[in-house]
Amino acid sequence: LNIMKETQNIQNVEAWIPLGIGLNTGVAHMGVIGNGKANDITPLGDEVNTTARLCSSANTGEIYISEQTMNAIGKDSNSINLLNQLKLEKTKIRVKGKSEELNVNIGQVIK
């Protein structure tokens, strides 16, 4: 939220650095890609791919929060206080690599 606020990615304001954010919760696996000196450690798995799809779906000023993340937040008061700074709208979106639509909450930071 602080990044969104500092870059003016808030509702009805023109951002000076346009950002969209995707949040997802789940198990990620770490793997080494490449060999020899040309290798890298990277996160892998369906949840990582889903997160990337949420990020690419989010328009400037939007935060896409997956249903899994909303469930993980539960009744955590710190997280709920953060969510209260957002204008949230529940919807379903279709993303590449998924046969079914995803349940997401699309949020915008309120001034």
Side-chain angles (χ1 to χ4, degrees), residues 21-40:
I21 294 176
L23 300 173
N24 188 38
T25 301
V27 175
H29 304 279
M30 298 302 288
V32 177
I33 305 296
N35 58 23
K37 291 185 179 182
N39 66 35
D40 196 11

Side-chain angles (χ1 to χ4, degrees), residues 28-31 41-45 48-49:
H29 304 279
M30 298 302 288
I41 296 174
T42 188
L44 305 164
V48 175
N49 292 336

Side-chain angles (χ1 to χ4, degrees), residues 5-79:
K5 289 176 183 177
E6 291 296 321
T7 56
Q8 296 294 310
N9 280 276
I10 55 180
Q11 192 175 14
N12 300 322
V13 174
E14 186 174 337
W16 61 275
I17 298 177
L19 298 174
I21 294 176
L23 300 173
N24 188 38
T25 301
V27 175
H29 304 279
M30 298 302 288
V32 177
I33 305 296
N35 58 23
K37 291 185 179 182
N39 66 35
D40 196 11
I41 296 174
T42 188
L44 305 164
D46 185 55
E47 301 302 345
V48 175
N49 292 336
T50 299
T51 305
R53 301 294 185 228
L54 293 176
C55 288
S56 64
S57 296
N59 295 314
T60 297
E62 292 180 332
I63 301 173
Y64 276 46
I65 306 171
S66 71
E67 182 176 42
Q68 295 92 297
T69 299
M70 293 298 286
N71 291 337
I73 289 169
K75 296 183 185 212
D76 177 71
S77 61
N78 290 328
S79 297

